[in-house]
Amino acid sequence: HTQTQTMSAAAFTVSASQFTGAKQRRALNARAVTASSSRRAVVAVAAGPKKIVIAGAPASGKGTQCELIVDKYGLEHISAGDLLRAAVAAGTDLGVRAKEFMDRGDLVPDEVVVGMVVEALDTDKAKSAGWLLDGYPRSASQADAITKEGIVPDAVILLDVPDDILVERVVGRRMDPETGKIYHLKFNPPPADVAERCTQRSDDTEEKAMNRLKVHHSNVEAVVGKYEGKINEIDGNRSKADVFADICGVIDEM
C-alpha cells in the first residue's frame, strides 16, 4: 500500500508556469485550425463506423471519457498505454524495451507501438462498430506511422486541462491491480476494502509527471497539424458529465 503524496501550491505554480508558452502556442494553433468553422465542427464523412482519436495530456480524463463513449456508442476502445502496460506486465521483449522509456516518462519509440496498435485495430469489431483510439498518436511521427498503415480518424477530440490540475491528478492516482480500475486519493478514493491493495504507477510522480507534460506540449502542436480540420478541443477541467456532453455533441455531428 502506498502512502498519500501531497504537493504544495508552490509546486503547482512552478509546473503551470513552466509550460505556459507551449500552452499558448497550442491554443493559437487550435484557433487557427478551427477559425473557419464552429468550435465543434468536424469534416463531413461518409456514413459508416466512426473512427475517433481522443488525445490530451496525462491525467486529462481520457480514460474516464473513453468508458462513457464506449458505453454509449459501442466503439472498439484501443489504448496504446494499455497495450504497452500489458506487454510490460507479460515481460515480452517489447515490454522490457518500453518500460525503460515509460519509467522515465519519455515516449516509447514508434516502432515498438505501431505494430501493437495496427494489430488491435485489425479486428472484426473495430472494422464493423468503429474505433476509439485512446492517447495515440502523441507525436507527428506517430501520426505519420499510423496513416501509412491506413489508420485515419474522422475526428480528433483534444481534452484541455491546466497543468497544475494535471499534476495534482497524476500524483494522487492509484490503480486496483485486480480490476484495473483507476482511483484518486482526493477526487475518487478507493473503497476501504480495495484501498490496501491499490498501487501507484512507476511514472505517476511529480518529477515524471512534469517531464511527461513537457513531452506532451512539445509534440501536441505537431499532432494537431497532422489532423487539420478534424480537431475538436474540449475544456476538460469540468465535471465528467459536462465534458462528456460536449464530446457527444462532436460525435453526434459526425
Side-chain angles (χ1 to χ4, degrees):
H1 178 59
T2 54
Q3 295 182 338
T4 302
Q5 295 190 23
T6 60
M7 294 184 62
S8 67
F12 291 156
T13 301
V14 170
S15 175
S17 62
Q18 184 174 356
F19 306 117
T20 298
K23 297 276 280 188
Q24 289 175 338
R25 289 194 299 274
R26 190 184 74 185
L28 289 172
N29 194 354
R31 283 198 292 272
V33 168
T34 59
S36 61
S37 60
S38 66
R39 182 171 180 273
R40 284 198 277 176
V42 295
V43 294
V45 296
K50 300 180 188 299
K51 297 176 288 185
I52 301 169
V53 164
I54 184 167
S60 59
K62 295 188 301 293
T64 296
Q65 294 304 322
C66 284
E67 290 181 6
L68 298 172
I69 293 168
V70 170
D71 285 345
K72 180 170 182 176
Y73 296 98
L75 305 179
E76 177 77 337
H77 177 214
I78 305 298
S79 166
D82 287 349
L83 295 176
L84 285 168
R85 283 186 285 276
V88 169
T92 66
D93 290 342
L94 287 178
V96 171
R97 287 184 60 196
K99 189 174 188 300
E100 297 175 1
F101 293 90
M102 294 169 71
D103 283 347
R104 293 197 300 267
D106 293 332
L107 288 177
V108 178
D110 299 342
E111 64 270 16
V112 179
V113 187
V114 173
M116 295 181 185
V117 173
V118 171
E119 183 176 322
L121 289 174
D122 188 25
T123 64
D124 291 339
K125 181 179 178 181
K127 293 174 181 177
S128 62
W131 46 261
L132 176 66
L133 187 51
D134 173 5
Y136 196 86
R138 295 184 181 181
S139 69
S141 60
Q142 291 173 356
D144 288 338
I146 63 172
T147 297
K148 289 178 182 177
E149 297 292 337
I151 301 171
V152 181
D154 299 321
V156 177
I157 294 168
L158 179 60
L159 300 179
D160 185 31
V161 179
D163 289 305
D164 57 329
I165 301 299
L166 290 170
V167 173
E168 183 179 21
R169 288 181 181 182
V170 166
V171 298
R173 201 161 51 178
R174 298 294 184 272
M175 183 183 74
D176 179 353
E178 292 188 8
T179 66
K181 185 174 179 59
I182 301 296
Y183 296 96
H184 192 279
L185 297 176
K186 177 179 178 181
F187 304 118
N188 181 32
D193 60 333
V194 173
E196 288 299 319
R197 67 173 182 254
C198 283
T199 60
Q200 183 181 34
R201 277 170 41 180
S202 61
D203 54 350
D204 278 355
T205 63
E206 177 186 354
E207 179 182 0
K208 290 174 182 176
M210 291 176 69
N211 185 47
R212 289 157 72 194
L213 283 173
K214 284 200 296 185
V215 172
H216 169 76
H217 289 309
S218 68
N219 284 287
V220 70
E221 293 175 36
V223 174
V224 167
K226 293 294 181 179
Y227 297 116
E228 186 170 349
K230 298 183 179 182
I231 304 297
N232 301 272
E233 190 164 358
I234 304 291
D235 179 2
N237 191 26
R238 298 173 295 161
S239 72
K240 65 181 181 181
D242 288 343
V243 174
F244 185 54
D246 277 5
I247 291 175
C248 289
V250 171
I251 297 175
D252 292 342
E253 289 174 6
M254 294 174 61

